[in-house]
Amino acid sequence: VISASESDTLYRITGDYPQFEGADDTFNASIKGFVEGRITEFKENARSNWQARQDTLPPGETKEEFPKDSFPLTITWLPTQLNADYISFVMYTDSYEGGANSRQELMTFNYDMAAKHAIALADLFPGNPDYLKNLSRLSREALAGEGLPTDMINEGTQPTPENFQNFVFNDEFVTVHFAKYQVGPGAAGAQRVTVARSQIK
């Protein structure tokens, strides 16, 4: 596990991310790249937003060099399975960059330790051309009870690989993670749906 923590007077970053012995360099680099990319973006946005805030102060208000409370970025990860056969986990970043709202991002990582390659959702359902259609239908049924707008649910669960790219799995279940704004308004946050793999086959 690699620490990603650092801080200064403008921002503070806390959290860590995993690297796996036995996985190839490409997979570990993809994890590191996601985290470092978000950190870079967060720093740039924090600086830009703070400068914009100072540049647009009403007349008579004093400019401040730094905010009273530094802008936070928190990095966390949650494993579904970590064993000799498979790696499957989701990474989250939660930040406030000085704008109107906080920001949440997520990305999942799935890896076959024996075959030494990342796992796509299609790999879990070989020979099943309808796996996306079935997963789309089951996801809509699950999300319908969450009070989310039907049009946003339907749009965000169209049976395309892009809509279902963030998933984790074990022998029995697949959990699809829908990013903030994908299937509902921002106030609803990210959503997830867990489905038995036997229902999709």
Side-chain angles (χ1 to χ4, degrees):
V1 175
I2 308 297
S3 174
S5 300
E6 63 174 288
S7 63
D8 69 6
T9 48
L10 179 59
Y11 54 78
R12 64 184 185 276
I13 300 166
T14 56
D16 52 43
Y17 62 93
Q19 297 280 268
F20 297 97
E21 292 186 11
D24 65 7
D25 292 342
T26 300
F27 181 68
N28 280 321
S30 67
I31 301 167
K32 182 179 180 181
F34 169 74
V35 174
E36 291 185 344
R38 277 295 295 122
I39 289 174
T40 297
E41 186 178 29
F42 165 73
K43 290 178 178 179
E44 291 174 351
N45 289 343
R47 293 189 192 103
S48 176
N49 288 337
W50 179 247
Q51 186 61 53
R53 187 186 296 185
Q54 297 307 296
D55 290 344
T56 56
L57 284 174
E61 289 199 18
T62 304
K63 289 187 177 182
E64 301 288 343
E65 186 175 3
F66 300 107
K68 291 182 175 62
D69 295 314
S70 52
F71 301 149
L73 168 64
T74 303
I75 301 161
T76 55
W77 61 287
L78 180 66
T80 296
Q81 61 173 329
L82 303 175
N83 53 51
D85 297 317
Y86 299 110
I87 295 168
S88 184
F89 68 97
V90 58
M91 291 213 66
Y92 301 96
T93 65
D94 194 329
S95 64
Y96 176 66
E97 301 172 339
N101 300 297
S102 61
R103 178 175 175 182
Q104 292 82 37
E105 303 287 342
L106 64 86
M107 187 170 181
T108 60
F109 296 87
N110 299 282
Y111 188 78
D112 186 322
M113 292 293 283
K116 303 298 182 188
H117 66 69
I119 297 172
L121 185 59
D123 296 332
L124 302 182
F125 307 102
N128 180 1
D130 294 324
Y131 77 95
L132 275 177
K133 291 180 181 178
N134 294 336
L135 189 52
S136 172
R137 173 180 55 79
L138 293 165
S139 296
R140 288 175 179 177
E141 291 174 359
L143 292 167
E146 299 299 319
L148 303 171
T150 301
D151 59 337
M152 296 191 73
I153 293 174
N154 290 342
E155 181 64 27
T157 59
Q158 288 289 328
T160 65
E162 293 76 18
N163 280 339
F164 292 89
Q165 62 184 316
N166 283 309
F167 70 95
V168 289
F169 75 100
N170 58 26
D171 288 343
E172 295 183 15
F173 299 99
V174 171
T175 297
V176 179
H177 289 264
F178 298 101
K180 185 178 180 180
Y181 302 110
Q182 183 177 348
V183 293
Q191 301 289 319
R192 64 184 179 184
V193 170
T194 297
V195 178
R197 291 173 64 173
S198 59
Q199 289 185 272
I200 304 170
K201 293 181 179 179

